[in-house]
Amino acid sequence: MRSCIYVLGIAMLVAACSEKTVKEPTISEQLAERLQTLQPKGYMMGHQDDPFYGVTWSSLKSDKKTYAAWPADSSDVCRTVGDYPAVMGFDLGGIEMGDEKNLDSVPFRQIRDELIAHHERGGIVTLSWHPRNPVTTDDNGGRVQKFPAGSAWDVTDTTVVASILPGGSHYEKFQTWIQRIGDFLLTLKTKDGQPVPVIFRPWHENNGSWFWWGQKLCTDNEFHSLWCLLQDSLQMRGLTNLLWSYSPNLDGKWTEERFLARYPGNERVTLIGEDAYQWGTEADFVRDLNADLTFLSDFAKKNGKLLAMTECGLQNMTDSTWWTRVLKPQMDKYPISYFLLWRNASHEYFGPSPELPCAADFKKLYDADNTLFLKEIK
Ligand code: BMA
């Protein structure tokens, strides 16, 4: 009898252990594993708003009911090199108001369709969110009169973050905003009902002071509370398909102490990003980028995090060899998963287009062994 109980005990223990070891990874954990596996092969190329508009075309000008008639393969990256970006980025600014279109006039319906389509063709998707200023925007969802009033860039009021935290004057309003973004995120499912994995990158560039959640606009504690408020609310709604990316801006002067002051914590972040544009001189950009990527790659390695250039570029490609001459040599030195060039609008573009002088350089970038486009990650 005693030996029976002993055997039963062992069997239960083994069952419990194997239950633990076979626990299915969540959708975001599977995405993290995919990124880990791809990283040694090189870094993926990403582009914001890639399927919606380019330097010379736009699907948004067509009637909103007929947008589906727009060629489904429209993409400046694809038109230039014959392959899609591996990563596509989209922005949810405006979802908080219940708007039909985002801040760049892309219908959310179209964002959902293209995001799912990119996932289904084997690509990776990332979402940013430029919510309006909850204190200075009006409640009616009316377009603000004069930019940046009421927008994410409205930094006239330094009490915004405090006011949307529990007990704050705009807490209820922000709860509605979180509800709305959650509602949208919950619709990101494939035809057979599987949630689409998404790299989610809220409250980005928070070490600058150009967004209402920026460095001089809230305290370290307020920023932490803001991060947790959004993350906990979305996780409570079962959104386990979000891979959380913490993406400060190009800085050049990180110290561990400064970085940790606003870092949400290892249990809250899977990917550490860097938003890095060359706004000034090439020399300054290269210096600051290397300083940051040295610090961030070291931090990411020590803490088991992924690393990426979550936004980058040179506005309007004023130097047509910038990608292979300036950007690539720096990225080659660090274990980044991807780099995401910002959007190609007619007035501001960061990606290639066959009509532009930079197209030849982009083809060189495409031909390099360590740059990964869609076909190479499938
Ligand atoms: C900024 C600019 C804006 C745009 C915003 C959100 O960097 O490109 O024109 O509205 O991103 O996409």
Side-chain angles (χ1 to χ4, degrees):
M1 185 61 183
R2 188 185 274 183
S3 64
C4 266
I5 293 173
Y6 180 72
V7 169
L8 192 70
I10 298 272
M12 281 164 67
L13 204 64
V14 168
C17 286
S18 51
E19 205 173 284
K20 203 159 186 200
T21 42
V22 296
K23 188 177 162 278
E24 278 286 300
T26 64
I27 290 174
S28 67
E29 285 165 353
Q30 289 170 32
L31 174 57
E33 276 172 31
R34 186 177 181 205
L35 292 173
Q36 291 285 10
T37 309
L38 285 167
Q39 201 284 317
K41 300 187 170 93
Y43 41 83
M44 296 182 278
M45 190 267 148
H47 193 210
Q48 183 74 4
D49 276 359
D50 186 75
F52 305 133
Y53 49 84
V55 178
T56 59
W57 58 277
S58 173
S59 70
L60 309 177
K61 292 201 170 70
S62 54
D63 179 79
K64 60 176 181 288
K65 294 210 170 60
T66 61
Y67 83 82
W70 191 263
D73 57 354
S74 296
S75 152
D76 271 353
V77 170
C78 202
R79 290 170 65 243
T80 308
V81 295
D83 194 3
Y84 288 106
V87 179
M88 284 192 189
F90 308 108
D91 196 273
L92 296 183
I95 199 78
E96 69 282 359
M97 307 299 292
D99 285 353
E100 191 191 325
K101 294 177 179 176
N102 83 350
L103 73 175
D104 298 317
S105 306
V106 188
F108 288 110
R109 189 165 68 106
Q110 202 167 339
I111 293 180
R112 179 189 303 116
D113 289 354
E114 291 296 342
L115 183 148
I116 295 170
H118 192 57
H119 167 70
E120 291 191 327
R121 64 166 83 97
I124 289 170
V125 292
T126 175
L127 282 172
S128 49
W129 184 32
H130 289 94
R132 288 193 220 172
N133 182 315
V135 171
T136 62
T137 198
D138 65 44
D139 280 332
N140 307 320
R143 289 264 145 219
V144 287
Q145 291 308 305
K146 195 165 174 290
F147 185 84
S151 75
W153 291 263
D154 184 342
V155 288
T156 48
D157 184 335
T158 55
T159 62
V160 178
V161 175
S163 81
I164 59 177
L165 296 176
S169 57
H170 289 68
Y171 174 74
E172 291 301 335
K173 178 173 179 172
F174 196 67
Q175 287 296 301
T176 307
W177 287 18
I178 294 180
Q179 177 76 26
R180 288 185 180 137
I181 189 173
D183 290 347
F184 179 83
L185 292 169
L186 281 167
T187 68
L188 301 176
K189 293 194 172 139
T190 58
K191 279 181 228 88
D192 53 9
Q194 284 301 308
V196 174
V198 172
I199 299 169
F200 187 49
R201 185 170 62 93
W203 315 132
H204 67 309
E205 302 176 12
N206 64 323
N207 52 332
S209 297
W210 45 85
F211 294 127
W212 57 257
W213 56 87
Q215 183 71 38
K216 294 189 184 140
L217 286 296
C218 57
T219 65
D220 296 343
N221 280 341
E222 285 164 357
F223 181 80
H224 268 278
S225 302
L226 175 69
W227 184 281
C228 298
L229 181 69
L230 180 64
Q231 187 167 40
D232 293 348
S233 308
L234 295 180
Q235 279 176 352
M236 254 150 44
R237 296 193 68 186
L239 285 157
T240 56
N241 53 326
L242 303 181
L243 186 158
W244 292 74
S245 162
Y246 177 67
S247 298
N249 195 63
L250 183 66
D251 190 281
K253 296 185 185 63
W254 284 123
T255 59
E256 182 129 332
E257 194 189 352
R258 260 191 68 228
F259 185 79
L260 285 174
R262 298 215 170 184
Y263 180 59
N266 276 344
E267 67 294 350
R268 291 187 170 273
V269 169
T270 304
L271 185 149
I272 295 179
E274 158 102 330
D275 286 9
Y277 294 90
Q278 184 187 312
W279 297 117
T281 68
E282 181 182 313
D284 286 355
F285 174 71
V286 168
R287 184 199 58 218
D288 289 349
L289 185 63
N290 277 291
D292 281 11
L293 289 178
T294 300
F295 171 80
L296 295 175
S297 59
D298 189 44
F299 185 89
K301 193 172 165 206
K302 278 201 277 200
N303 293 278
K305 302 296 162 195
L306 294 155
L307 179 70
M309 302 261 298
T310 42
E311 275 185 41
C312 62
L314 173 68
Q315 192 178 38
N316 298 349
M317 292 311 294
T318 45
D319 170 353
S320 64
T321 59
W322 188 78
W323 287 311
T324 61
R325 203 179 50 75
V326 182
L327 185 64
K328 184 173 186 296
Q330 318 318 321
M331 295 197 297
D332 285 349
K333 293 185 248 172
Y334 306 95
I336 62 170
S337 285
Y338 68 91
F339 69 105
L340 182 121
L341 299 175
W342 201 239
R343 66 203 195 107
N344 274 13
S346 52
H347 66 286
E348 57 154 5
Y349 52 87
F350 299 85
S353 180
E355 304 80 10
L356 297 172
C358 60
D361 193 55
F362 195 77
K363 284 183 196 146
K364 274 204 220 163
L365 191 71
Y366 174 75
D367 286 339
D369 289 342
N370 64 339
T371 54
L372 308 176
F373 287 67
L374 181 70
K375 286 176 194 159
E376 289 149 298
I377 68 156
K378 290 219 268 189

